[in-house]
């Protein structure tokens, strides 16, 4: 059976769903960050599949390089924010970070 | 091409199984190790798609950089000596319903859309093409990306130190 374009797209859709589930339901902020990494990787799979099967050519791979660069910057900033949160309220559970509410 | 099919299914099953472990494991360290396996097999998938440079970049940047950073974050923010490294889920059932709904809609759209595909081109030496594109067409985004990385580096270093 030939592997077609749709196989890659469906795989990345499932990966996107798993990352979305991690973003919605995990309590630990670092695991939310892991969900974001899964979603960015599914976007990269889509871009590179379009670059092989679609009319995108090597430009798709260039765009995925920029996605990787932005993922690195985002991970560094988010971890700095999480460490600062831990220094202030001694937890990284996102449902306990509600000190601005009261 | 049977080898291609077999490799694709091995990679796909490994990616989905380890991603499920990432989003469901109770222990955070298990999630980090499963994320390692997921990213590694995604790099294998890039090789199947003729993107060798992206595969190497994925291994070096994600596994060598981001994952080590995440494990540092886990170690610095969990009280290892007192509590075990577990975590729990918030409102799992609505999240599962929402996520399954979104994924079903996306897969339905993928299967019903008539994609403008062409037979896969034989790509050779993508590294030289990427290098030429990076210094001609994508020169301005490339420079802006380097500035973004510098700003992110300085910002995270400033933000994560103790303010006296």
């Amino acid at each position: 059976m030939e592997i077609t374009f749709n196989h890659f797209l469906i795989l990345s859709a499932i990966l996107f769903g798993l990352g979305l589930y991690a973003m919605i339901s995990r309590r630990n902020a670092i695991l939310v960050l892991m969900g974001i990494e899964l979603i960015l990787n599914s976007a990269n799979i889509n871009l590179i599949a379009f670059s092989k099967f679609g009319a995108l050519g090597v430009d798709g791979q260039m765009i995925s390089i920029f996605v990787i660069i932005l993922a690195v910057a985002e991970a560094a900033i988010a971890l700095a924010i999480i460490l600062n949160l831990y220094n202030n309220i001694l937890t990284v559970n996102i449902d306990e970070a509600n000190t601005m509410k009261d | 091409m049977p080898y291609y099919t077999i490799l694709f299914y091995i990679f796909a099953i490994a990616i989905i199984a380890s991603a499920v472990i990432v989003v469901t494991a109770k222990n955070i360290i298990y999630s980090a190790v499963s994320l390692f396996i997921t990213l590694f097999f995604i790099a294998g998938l890039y090789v199947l798609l003729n993107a060798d440079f992206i595969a190497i970049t994925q291994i070096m940047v994600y596994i060598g950089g981001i994952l080590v950073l995440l494990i540092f974050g886990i170690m610095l923010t969990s009280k290892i000596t007192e509590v075990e490294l577990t975590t729990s889920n918030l409102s799992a059932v609505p999240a599962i319903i929402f996520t399954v709904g979104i994924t079903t809609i996306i897969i339905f759209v993928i299967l019903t859309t008539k994609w403008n595909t062409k037979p896969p081109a034989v790509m050779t030496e993508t590294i030289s093409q990427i290098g030429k594109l990076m210094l001609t067409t994508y020169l301005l985004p490339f420079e802006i990306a380097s500035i973004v990385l510098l700003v992110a580096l300085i910002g995270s270093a400033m933000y994560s130190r103790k303010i006296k």
Side-chain angles (χ1 to χ4, degrees), chain A residues 50-91:
Chain A
F50 272 104
S51 111
K52 184 173 165 77
F53 292 98
L56 204 52
V58 194
D59 295 271
Q61 302 191 11
M62 284 303 301
I63 299 169
S64 71
I65 288 177
F66 291 119
V67 171
I68 291 176
I69 292 171
L70 290 181
V72 172
E74 166 256 327
I77 294 288
L79 273 172
I81 291 173
I82 291 171
L83 288 183
N84 219 339
L85 183 72
Y86 183 75
N87 282 337
N88 283 326
I89 62 172
L90 289 181
T91 181

Side-chain angles (χ1 to χ4, degrees), chain A residues 17 25-26 52 58-59 84, chain B residues 5 25 50 90 99 129 138 159:
Chain A
S25 75
R26 296 296 261 185
K52 184 173 165 77
V58 194
D59 295 271
N84 219 339
Chain B
T5 310
N50 292 103
L90 298 166
T99 312
Q129 297 180 39
Y138 291 95
Y159 193 57

Side-chain angles (χ1 to χ4, degrees), chain B residues 45 48 63 79 103 125 132 142 153:
Chain B
L45 205 67
L48 279 187
I63 298 173
K79 303 181 204 65
T103 313
E125 51 171 355
K132 277 174 194 159
F142 179 65
L153 192 74

